[in-house]
Amino acid sequence: MTVTRQPFDRIAVFCGARTGVRPQYVELAKDFGAALARRGAGLVYGAGGVGVMGAVADAVLSGGAPVTGVIPHRLYERERPQGSRGELFVVRTMHERKALMYKLSKGFAVLPGGLGTLDELMEVATWNQLGFHQKPIVLVNHEGFFDPLAALLDHVVKEGFLSPQERSCIDMAVDVEEALDLLGCTSASVAP
């Protein structure tokens, strides 16, 4: 069976460079990456070769889809990411990293991660809020990981600092397939 693909849509994935305390986080990353590749989409990510980040990139590459990493020069010099997957862009700053990731991507998936993941999520959501772009943003809420964040965002709406319409720019998916549907990733055409 041969997969015939058109030019790849690319989805940015924000996630941790650590594995977290539960093996389910890495399994989720593998499942997400494999499903992304099956649907004929490529990955844009932070160029890390470890943790959740490395697992999603490995799964996308194993599925035959392209991977694009974006890393600031300072991190590149410090970490020498030989474990980086696919095409690699080295930029000057974190701001340039995020701007390029946003430019290269048609949507944004958020998997478990730490401060960097939350920073990327909040910035891209703010860009949607301000009208700089209108790209889908989806939290992959595996086993309720993002429930506390969703509750905080709902509280911000309740307190009048965010409109319900602005809040709705961050979708929540309970599994990988729902997340990819919300991101507009259609299945790749498969030729026998």
Side-chain angles (χ1 to χ4, degrees), residues 9-18 25-37 41-61 65-71 94 97-98 100-114 116-122 124 135-141 146 176 179-180 183 185:
D9 284 330
R10 293 182 278 192
I11 300 297
V13 175
F14 305 141
C15 58
R18 296 179 183 178
Y25 301 134
V26 170
E27 289 306 312
L28 171 65
K30 290 176 183 177
D31 292 346
F32 188 89
L36 190 65
L43 170 69
V44 176
Y45 82 123
V50 297
V52 174
M53 201 181 299
V56 75
D58 284 343
V60 171
L61 279 176
V67 170
T68 303
V70 184
I71 189 167
M94 289 295 283
R97 174 196 217 179
K98 290 186 285 187
L100 183 55
M101 289 178 75
Y102 301 166
K103 180 180 177 182
L104 293 173
S105 304
K106 81 167 225 170
F108 310 95
V110 186
L111 304 180
T117 303
L118 296 173
D119 171 61
E120 291 164 333
L121 164 64
M122 291 304 165
V124 76
K135 297 179 181 182
I137 304 166
V138 179
L139 303 177
V140 185
N141 195 28
F146 288 109
V176 166
L180 292 171
L183 289 163
C185 293

Side-chain angles (χ1 to χ4, degrees), residues 84-187:
S84 293
R85 290 19 172 212
E87 180 180 30
L88 182 66
F89 289 96
V90 180
V91 296
R92 287 183 295 166
T93 67
M94 289 295 283
H95 294 294
E96 288 178 9
R97 174 196 217 179
K98 290 186 285 187
L100 183 55
M101 289 178 75
Y102 301 166
K103 180 180 177 182
L104 293 173
S105 304
K106 81 167 225 170
F108 310 95
V110 186
L111 304 180
L115 291 176
T117 303
L118 296 173
D119 171 61
E120 291 164 333
L121 164 64
M122 291 304 165
E123 186 164 327
V124 76
T126 300
W127 286 26
N128 262 6
Q129 178 188 27
L130 296 174
F132 294 161
H133 66 74
Q134 295 300 313
K135 297 179 181 182
I137 304 166
V138 179
L139 303 177
V140 185
N141 195 28
H142 183 70
E143 297 186 10
F145 182 84
F146 288 109
D147 286 349
L149 177 59
L152 174 61
L153 292 171
D154 293 340
H155 176 72
V156 172
V157 170
K158 180 181 168 195
E159 295 299 317
F161 291 100
L162 190 65
S163 74
Q165 181 181 1
E166 292 165 334
R167 165 64 179 92
S168 71
C169 82
I170 301 175
D171 280 319
M172 185 94 73
V174 295
D175 62 34
V176 166
E177 297 301 329
E178 181 185 11
L180 292 171
D181 289 343
L182 290 168
L183 289 163
C185 293
T186 57
S187 297

